[in-house]
Amino acid sequence: MPLPYGALDYYQVHYIVQTGDDVNTQKFLARCEPITKGHFSEKRVVAVKWTGASAFADKLQQDERLTELLKQVLLHEREVRVDPLDGHVRIYGRWNHDENLKANPVMVEIADIIAGHIKAAL
């Protein structure tokens, strides 16, 4: 029986960093999660934790500017992921409803900083 719905009203913005086919992109696997305090309207992000490929995750964890920007968006984004694929690396956050169809300039800056770390490691 076919599903009763078509295209979903959700989207996910992906930032793509081209690396080339001869690069081992697996060393760029990382995931950032917020460390929060408080509940409901008092909830705030006090720190971030990067997990994944240890050297790359450590490099991202040490970037203070990146951490400050992540504290601003992680309540909304919930997490930021960096996924290696063949020939490129994706940087993305959570799925958003189409009512919120706009690019977050802080998330764009975060992706740019992460992309800079990826390009520096190449």
Side-chain angles (χ1 to χ4, degrees):
M1 177 172 180
L3 296 174
Y5 50 87
L8 298 177
D9 295 335
Y10 292 90
Y11 71 96
Q12 189 176 36
V13 177
H14 289 232
Y15 306 91
I16 307 295
V17 180
Q18 296 294 337
T19 60
D21 294 330
D22 58 339
V23 176
N24 176 16
T25 58
Q26 295 304 312
K27 62 184 177 181
F28 300 118
L29 178 66
R31 178 179 172 185
C32 181
E33 295 177 329
I35 299 172
T36 60
K37 278 196 173 180
H39 298 286
F40 305 112
S41 65
E42 299 293 320
K43 191 172 190 176
R44 65 191 189 288
V45 177
V46 295
V48 299
K49 181 180 180 190
W50 284 97
T51 56
S54 62
F56 185 65
D58 291 344
K59 184 76 169 170
L60 296 176
Q61 187 73 50
Q62 294 168 3
D63 189 325
E64 292 178 19
R65 173 75 177 138
L66 179 60
T67 299
E68 290 307 311
L69 291 171
L70 285 165
K71 286 180 184 180
Q72 295 176 29
V73 300
L74 279 179
L75 275 184
H76 178 263
E77 291 292 331
R78 296 190 191 127
E79 71 179 3
V80 173
R81 291 177 173 251
V82 182
D83 284 342
L85 297 167
D86 292 333
H88 64 279
V89 178
R90 305 186 290 173
I91 304 164
Y92 61 95
R94 74 176 192 149
W95 289 90
N96 294 302
H97 195 272
D98 68 353
E99 293 172 350
N100 302 322
L101 188 60
K102 63 180 181 180
N104 183 341
V106 177
M107 189 60 193
V108 172
E109 189 173 351
I110 288 168
D112 189 50
I113 292 171
I114 295 170
H117 286 293
I118 293 169
K119 288 294 188 178
L122 294 176

